[in-house]
Amino acid sequence: KNCVGFRNHKFFLLLVLYSTLSSALSVAMAAPEFFYCVKVLPGMISGDAGNDAPSNIEIPEILGFLIFNLLALFFLALLLPMVITHVPLAVQNVTSIESHYDDSVPNPFDRGDCIKNLSTVFGAFGIDWFFPVYPQNPVSDGVSFAREALDDSAWEELPDDEGDRAEALWRHRYGIRNEQAEEGASEAADSSPFSMLDFRCTRPSPGSIS
């Protein structure tokens, strides 16, 4: 399974970021030596390098160094577009599919702050943001997602069971009615002693029955 989803989105972003940074750092630090090796290698192969040829470096070592830098440059060219594409999406709290939606429709999950938006993927801000581990303090369960217009403090008033809490939070954030709970409350009300009193009070009199 190579799909990027809620559980591995953080790991994907860290992999792309750290790989891009390491590739860029390698290319930048080795750039002077890279151009020097490109300059002297043809002369060393033909034996006409003269004084420009290094005395303590062999041709295989130069070739290995050049291959290393070309690989770093290749990965940089491959990963940099991914950083440019996916990091802004995470900052806006938008998925790749949602980025193709009509711009006239506002993003309901944009919490108005890049830290809050990133916390959907990385969890509450902390040192674990920078390490490939699961968030220590997640702010979402992958089913319901916070929206700025709603107050998430209701999480403290939700049931203790994790499954019930997740469903209750989902219903709270999206304004979904719990029909089963309402039916249960209605049945409980119908079976209460007061429902019998209401029935007796509203029962028609014998004379009114034709």
Side-chain angles (χ1 to χ4, degrees):
K1 295 182 179 181
N2 298 322
C3 297
V4 177
F6 177 77
R7 299 295 179 186
N8 61 352
H9 195 184
K10 174 186 177 181
F11 301 96
F12 168 74
L13 290 177
L14 289 180
L15 174 64
V16 171
L17 281 171
Y18 288 157
S19 299
T20 303
L21 289 175
S22 60
S23 299
L25 185 62
S26 300
V27 171
M29 293 182 64
E33 289 78 8
F34 177 79
F35 290 111
Y36 172 75
C37 291
V38 170
K39 176 183 177 181
V40 302
L41 182 60
M44 292 181 64
I45 295 177
S46 62
D48 298 331
N51 295 330
D52 292 335
S55 58
N56 58 344
I57 301 179
E58 300 295 335
I59 292 178
E61 296 174 338
I62 293 180
L63 291 175
F65 177 77
L66 292 177
I67 292 173
F68 164 78
N69 280 272
L70 290 175
L71 284 175
L73 188 61
F74 169 77
F75 281 111
L76 179 61
L78 180 67
L79 295 172
L80 186 59
M82 299 180 70
V83 172
I84 297 174
T85 301
H86 290 281
V87 171
L89 292 179
V91 170
Q92 300 171 26
N93 209 3
V94 175
T95 64
S96 299
I97 296 178
E98 292 170 341
S99 65
H100 298 284
Y101 289 173
D102 188 357
D103 293 336
S104 63
V105 179
N107 175 21
F109 304 105
D110 184 3
R111 309 191 67 188
D113 182 83
C114 63
I115 299 297
K116 290 183 178 180
N117 287 340
L118 287 174
S119 66
T120 303
V121 178
F122 290 85
F125 182 76
I127 191 64
D128 59 299
W129 266 37
F130 307 99
F131 296 95
V133 296
Y134 286 105
Q136 298 298 312
N137 299 295
V139 299
S140 176
D141 56 4
V143 177
S144 60
F145 297 89
R147 293 187 290 176
E148 189 65 22
L150 297 178
D151 181 15
D152 290 336
S153 61
W155 176 266
E156 300 176 356
E157 303 175 1
L158 297 178
D160 294 332
D161 182 76
E162 183 177 354
D164 293 340
R165 287 168 65 91
E167 181 179 355
L169 180 61
W170 176 76
R171 294 184 180 279
H172 164 70
R173 286 177 172 171
Y174 294 102
I176 305 299
R177 297 172 55 186
N178 192 338
E179 297 180 357
Q180 293 182 350
E182 293 178 358
E183 291 177 0
S186 177
E187 292 176 359
D190 293 341
S191 61
S192 64
F194 297 101
S195 63
M196 297 299 296
L197 293 175
D198 181 70
F199 170 75
R200 291 172 182 173
C201 292
T202 57
R203 185 173 57 184
S205 60
S208 62
I209 302 176
S210 56

